[in-house]
Amino acid sequence: MPTRFKLNTGAEIPAIGFGTWQDESAQEDAVIEAIKAGYRHIDTAQAYRTEKAIGQAIKKSGLPREQLFITTKLWNTKHHPDDVPKALQESLDDLQLDYVDLFLIHWPVAWKRGYEQFPKENGRVVLEDIDYVDTYKALERLLQTGKVKAIGVSNFSKAEMEKLIDNTSVVPAVHQMECHPWLQQHDFCEWHKAKGIHITHYSPFGNQNEIYSGGHLGRLIDEPVLKEIGEKYGKSGAQVALAWGVTREHSVIPKSKTPSRIKNNLEGDFKLTEEELKKIEGINRKIRFNDSSTAFGKAFFTDLEGSPA
């Protein structure tokens, strides 16, 4: 049976999800392939521009809606509380769905309202003075509509999480953040566990994405420790990187458009031993590959481990 984890809402989230960032034109076929392979957790965002393709893929799959766990995210230009319900409805329309299982604030920063994805003046992104607490309160109100089953956040720091919890009434069900064997964030992860907040790892293969810097470090999935552990199970270093997240009771969302890799990633759903987890602890380089602080006009992750690659 594929591993599933219980959220603080009582709902279950499949341990391995299918990421859909980038490759817009390839996503319909990729998601069809993923559903065929057995994925039941699909992750997207308004900013990825892949929601329409995913909606088509879900429709073509013929799978009953209740068998799927769908996550999408609110973009930075839609943080004003008045814009939140409209942004959700736009995502639902593109996905051809009546509800999403999880709706996240994508980043804790608000940009100029409107439909320009990256609103800029003089080469810099235009910020709006909107508190993410107010944005999150608008997400809370969506729970009463039935159009979202759970809410959460992505890319928040510890201080931002604490402020959010102290000033809102619904504890986030999920925090989606960069996490992999080179950025393990044990203390922050334990903090989430104590609060009952589930963690989803994005970029579970570290610097595998071609837009990330850090190629000079080699590839995380070629890390000798991961490959050595994989040999014992007949698995690859990539599959061990996923199993590391699953064993920590976190969900992971690898992405691929190659049918063989799509299938192989799903086979990362297995458990490692305590001894193997200890070995992997030894390769924590505390390297963060996705830090958009400069481009997004706000310093992120200031109280977390992880130096830019």
Side-chain angles (χ1 to χ4, degrees):
M1 281 289 287
T3 305
R4 301 173 80 89
F5 300 116
K6 191 159 275 197
L7 302 179
N8 60 21
T9 60
E12 290 189 335
I13 185 170
I16 296 192
F18 189 70
T20 62
W21 177 37
Q22 300 177 308
D23 304 314
E24 294 170 45
S25 60
Q27 286 306 331
E28 185 176 328
D29 289 342
V31 173
I32 287 170
E33 199 65 43
I35 291 173
K36 202 186 301 176
Y39 288 83
R40 295 296 179 263
H41 172 186
I42 312 292
D43 181 88
T44 185
Q46 189 195 42
Y48 301 168
R49 301 185 186 276
T50 56
E51 291 173 320
K52 282 186 178 176
I54 291 163
Q56 282 298 108
I58 292 170
K59 192 176 178 183
K60 287 181 180 178
S61 77
L63 205 67
R65 171 66 184 94
E66 61 274 11
Q67 289 186 24
L68 290 168
F69 188 101
I70 309 294
T71 300
T72 195
K73 307 177 194 79
L74 180 79
W75 189 232
N76 308 339
T77 54
K78 307 293 182 182
H79 274 223
H80 192 285
D82 291 347
D83 296 335
V84 172
K86 290 182 277 189
L88 171 66
Q89 191 58 54
E90 286 163 5
S91 288
L92 290 174
D93 291 346
D94 285 345
L95 289 163
Q96 302 182 57
L97 298 176
D98 295 326
Y99 69 92
V100 289
D101 297 272
L102 181 62
F103 193 42
L104 307 177
I105 295 178
H106 205 152
W107 289 88
V109 63
W111 293 349
K112 181 182 176 184
R113 297 170 70 183
Y115 284 93
E116 191 179 355
Q117 190 170 17
F118 284 85
K120 288 186 175 180
E121 282 178 13
N122 304 317
R124 294 185 178 218
V125 73
V126 184
L127 301 177
E128 285 267 18
D129 184 18
I130 301 168
D131 194 325
Y132 56 79
V133 167
D134 294 327
T135 307
Y136 188 83
K137 285 178 177 176
L139 265 69
E140 288 181 325
R141 290 191 286 274
L142 292 176
L143 289 166
Q144 297 154 20
T145 68
K147 292 181 178 182
V148 301
K149 301 297 184 186
I151 58 174
V153 297
S154 181
N155 297 305
F156 275 51
S157 70
K158 187 179 179 188
E160 287 162 345
M161 290 298 288
E162 287 173 334
K163 176 185 170 184
L164 189 74
I165 288 172
D166 287 347
N167 291 282
T168 57
S169 55
V170 177
V171 175
V174 173
H175 186 183
Q176 188 176 124
M177 60 194 202
E178 181 183 346
C179 207
H180 43 74
W182 281 355
L183 182 67
Q184 299 187 14
Q185 305 196 80
H186 285 285
D187 290 346
F188 198 33
C189 291
E190 284 302 310
W191 180 88
H192 283 79
K193 193 174 181 181
K195 301 289 184 186
I197 302 168
H198 179 72
I199 289 173
T200 295
H201 297 183
Y202 73 73
S203 299
F205 300 141
N207 58 344
Q208 184 73 356
N209 193 297
E210 64 277 3
I211 75 160
Y212 291 160
S213 59
H216 60 286
L217 301 165
R219 298 191 306 167
L220 163 65
I221 60 174
D222 293 332
E223 179 72 60
V225 168
L226 300 182
K227 293 180 94 168
E228 179 196 324
I229 291 169
E231 282 169 17
K232 173 182 162 186
Y233 297 98
K235 303 280 188 179
S236 66
Q239 289 167 328
V240 173
L242 297 176
W244 173 78
V246 174
T247 306
R248 296 178 76 195
E249 300 189 337
H250 301 163
S251 47
V252 292
I253 44 172
K255 65 176 280 288
S256 179
K257 54 185 176 180
T258 311
S260 59
R261 286 204 195 113
I262 288 171
K263 185 174 180 296
N264 289 343
N265 288 342
L266 200 55
E267 291 167 11
D269 186 357
F270 66 101
K271 302 289 169 51
L272 303 177
T273 66
E274 283 298 323
E275 184 186 349
E276 288 158 354
L277 289 178
K278 265 280 180 237
K279 275 188 184 173
I280 294 173
E281 269 188 46
I283 63 169
N284 185 13
R285 299 193 189 190
K286 302 184 179 181
I287 294 170
R288 188 179 294 278
F289 294 105
N290 185 14
D291 187 344
S292 299
S293 298
T294 303
F296 282 17
K298 178 184 173 177
F300 299 114
F301 319 121
T302 53
D303 56 6
L304 301 179
E305 77 177 42
S307 304

